[in-house]
Amino acid sequence: MTSSPKSLSGLRPFIRPYRTQVVLAGLFLLLAAGTTLAFPLALKLLIDQGLVAGSSSDALAEKFFELFLVAAALALFSAGRFYTVSWLGEKITADVKNKVYAHVLEQSPTFFETTQSGEVLSRLTSDTTLVQTVVGSSLSMGLRNLVMGLGAIGMLVWSNPMLMLQVIGVLVVVVFPSVYLGRRVRRLSRASQDRVADSSAIASEVLNAISVVQSYTAEKREADRFTASTGQALGTALRRTRARSLLVGFIIMASSAALLWGLYLGTLSVRAGNTTAGELGQTIVYVILLASAFAVLGEVYGDVLRAAGATERLMELLHTRSDVSSPQHPQQAPWPANGSSLVLRGVDFNYPSRPTQQALNGLTGEVRAGQTVAIVGPSGAGKTTLFSLLMRFYAPQQGDVLLDGVPIEKMDLHALRQRIGVVPQEAVVFSGTVLENIRYGKPDATLAEVMAAANAAFAQEFIADLPQGYDTYLGDRGVRLSGGQRQRIAIARAILKNPPLLLLDEATSALDANSERMVQAALETAMLGRTTLVIAHRLATVQRADCIWVLDKGRMVEQGTHAELIARGGLYASLAALQFAG
């Protein structure tokens, strides 16, 4: 990883609101480090003054009490540092996670064409966990050990400069191999995380398609594939464990060698009468503090680099700008009483991922308030693309789209989408209760309003048969409901929202005959009193439309009523002939 610790500067906007807590954490950190550095001085006084021949028991007790006071102060300051730093880590990480998630939700589909949702989830979980580890623990630990290490060096230079030169030589021997081994451990740690992620991806994919796996009797195949993946993860984890064990063993051995070397030289100095026993004890403790500080700093630096990379990825998400957004000064359109009016003028559109292939080509048309317009055509004609443009998931390269007399690019995005209700071909049901799913378009709706919408969507009967009625939990993606029941929930949601424009994207294509009749009746109720655009492959469902638009390769090739288009003998007539003949 080539990330620099400077990348952590991206967290400044999230740290700024907690300046008081940062100052408090810094104060506790300095006090804890200072108290740690004061401990060897208190130990020196205990040895030189409390343990000398002829000293009284009271003097000895007084020195031990002073040593206890230093320890008590260290405990107090360390607890304060730990709490404030951990609090900062939790708060800042939660703020980053919330900000990134809210920002991603505002991105257009163009963003998700190039960014996998699994990658976004990984950044929200793994990357924020790394940031939390550093902000809430490692960074504070690193700063504390840096202060202690510098302080220990200063005290050793002041108390015993010749010994300090020799200790530095030993520490250099310790540091460089530790850095090399530490880098290897970090590389293997990242590789181990990648292998674990691979196993998780396999499991997620298979569990989401378990019915297909079982229908093809592929359970053993998939279990073997997962076993092979976890075997790779295990092998990488064991290599990481071996490298980390080697690193830990080397640091302990080298630090012990440095300590014993300092102890040997100090003992010789005491025997020669050049140093007191208390000064020897003080020096040994400072050497221990210095060696441990270097060891911790090496490990912390690796964590900082990993968190810097994670911060870069999170900031990339935050700095992504949607190609569709609300204007700075949006125009307001009056709320229509009997459905919205819609005008299309020469609309051209290419998907960003397919810039040379036109999805819509000079599309022009008009829908009056309260009309039902059916949109038909072969696959790839641009029907669903038109719906995406009306919702402003994308912006056309050329042309105008006017809703209730106002160009949609000049309307506030939320205001525009509040005017539109959508019933997709595959109904989306969230893992909540029936009540929560129907209320999704109007969270403040009363129970009476929800029940009225469910009645209008012919959903009341099957809801009443559920174990807890409207409070029944529907499971992940509504797995407890049939396809027709999920569609009626989606229709009830759209009815409750009560939009002036309703978009129906082949809402009955995947249903059995009985469910289709129920859903079709619910749709006809939903269409009352509003403008409706219906995408349909089954021409029988659009014969009662006020007008039919026939699209082919992104162009409007025909429009009129069913009878008019049949009499014209064009594309619509040929499509109808194929279906009715079947």
Side-chain angles (χ1 to χ4, degrees), residues 12-319:
R12 282 178 184 167
F14 299 95
I15 297 174
R16 199 170 292 125
Y18 306 112
R19 286 187 291 264
T20 303
Q21 289 83 356
V22 170
V23 171
L24 188 61
L27 179 62
F28 278 128
L29 185 148
L30 291 174
L31 289 172
T35 308
T36 304
L37 292 171
F39 196 88
L41 292 174
L43 181 64
K44 172 182 175 294
L45 293 175
L46 170 66
I47 295 173
D48 286 345
Q49 299 179 19
L51 301 182
V52 295
S55 63
S56 66
S57 299
D58 291 341
L60 181 62
E62 182 181 344
K63 296 303 176 185
F64 269 104
F65 183 69
E66 290 174 357
L67 200 61
F68 170 76
L69 289 179
V70 174
L74 175 60
L76 178 64
F77 297 144
S78 296
R81 177 192 64 84
F82 178 81
Y83 177 78
T84 51
V85 169
S86 298
W87 185 92
L88 279 169
E90 295 288 349
K91 291 290 290 184
I92 291 170
T93 304
D95 290 348
V96 170
K97 190 179 295 187
N98 293 339
K99 183 74 172 178
V100 171
Y101 183 68
H103 185 73
V104 167
L105 291 182
E106 295 178 350
Q107 299 306 302
S108 71
T110 304
F111 170 83
F112 294 99
E113 286 183 16
T114 56
T115 307
Q116 294 181 335
S117 58
E119 182 183 348
V120 175
L121 292 175
S122 174
R123 295 187 188 189
L124 284 171
T125 53
S126 301
D127 288 352
T128 53
T129 299
L130 285 173
V131 171
Q132 181 178 2
T133 299
V134 168
V135 176
S137 175
S138 297
L139 190 59
S140 165
M141 191 184 304
L143 290 173
R144 176 174 174 269
N145 279 276
L146 179 62
V147 172
M148 285 195 335
L150 294 175
I153 290 174
M155 295 302 294
L156 285 169
V157 169
W158 172 69
S159 62
N160 200 333
M162 292 304 297
L163 178 62
M164 183 57 204
L165 289 175
Q166 298 179 51
V167 169
I168 286 178
V170 175
L171 285 175
V172 169
V173 176
V174 174
V175 168
F176 284 106
S178 299
V179 170
Y180 169 76
L181 289 172
R183 287 177 178 172
R184 176 166 174 75
V185 169
R186 290 196 298 276
R187 285 197 300 270
L188 289 172
S189 294
R190 290 197 295 272
S192 178
Q193 290 172 342
D194 290 340
R195 300 292 78 77
V196 171
D198 292 342
S199 299
S200 299
I202 291 173
S204 176
E205 180 184 41
V206 170
L207 292 176
N208 283 329
I210 189 63
S211 58
V212 175
V213 172
Q214 292 177 347
S215 67
Y216 282 89
T217 63
E219 296 93 335
K220 187 176 186 307
R221 266 200 326 270
E222 294 297 348
D224 291 342
R225 188 159 70 105
F226 184 79
T227 300
S229 179
T230 53
Q232 291 180 345
L234 176 62
T236 307
L238 290 177
R239 289 197 299 275
R240 179 200 66 202
T241 302
R242 284 195 294 269
R244 192 172 182 87
S245 300
L246 183 61
L247 175 62
V248 170
F250 176 79
I251 289 176
I252 292 174
M253 182 178 67
S255 299
S256 300
L259 173 62
L260 292 173
W261 177 249
L263 179 60
Y264 173 70
L265 294 177
T267 303
L268 291 178
S269 182
V270 171
R271 289 179 61 180
N274 299 324
T275 306
T276 67
E279 289 173 339
L280 174 61
Q282 171 187 297
T283 300
I284 290 172
V285 176
Y286 279 131
V287 170
I288 293 173
L289 290 176
L290 182 59
S292 63
F294 271 91
V296 171
L297 284 172
E299 188 170 343
V300 166
Y301 185 69
D303 289 340
V304 168
L305 285 182
R306 292 178 65 201
T311 302
E312 283 183 355
R313 290 189 290 270
L314 289 168
M315 294 306 111
E316 283 175 7
L317 282 181
L318 275 180
H319 294 151

Side-chain angles (χ1 to χ4, degrees), residues 330-380:
Q331 289 187 17
Q332 301 250 349
W335 191 271
N338 300 308
S340 291
S341 62
L342 177 66
V343 177
L344 306 171
R345 296 175 184 161
V347 176
D348 291 346
F349 176 70
N350 304 28
Y351 282 100
S353 57
R354 303 189 293 275
T356 60
Q357 181 180 349
Q358 277 199 314
L360 293 177
N361 186 356
L363 186 62
T364 299
E366 183 175 350
V367 182
R368 295 190 302 274
Q371 269 193 320
T372 296
V373 174
I375 304 171
V376 300
S379 296

Side-chain angles (χ1 to χ4, degrees), residues 429-444:
V429 175
F430 298 96
S431 58
T433 64
V434 175
L435 185 65
E436 291 167 343
N437 270 279
I438 297 178
R439 269 183 179 158
Y440 197 77
K442 189 179 178 183
D444 58 347

Side-chain angles (χ1 to χ4, degrees), residues 418-469:
Q418 280 294 324
R419 293 169 175 263
I420 303 174
V422 181
V423 180
Q425 184 172 350
E426 290 292 333
V428 175
V429 175
F430 298 96
S431 58
T433 64
V434 175
L435 185 65
E436 291 167 343
N437 270 279
I438 297 178
R439 269 183 179 158
Y440 197 77
K442 189 179 178 183
D444 58 347
T446 65
L447 179 58
E449 290 174 323
V450 171
M451 294 179 69
N455 270 317
F458 293 89
Q460 178 63 34
E461 182 179 349
F462 80 81
I463 292 174
D465 291 337
L466 294 174
Q468 285 85 39

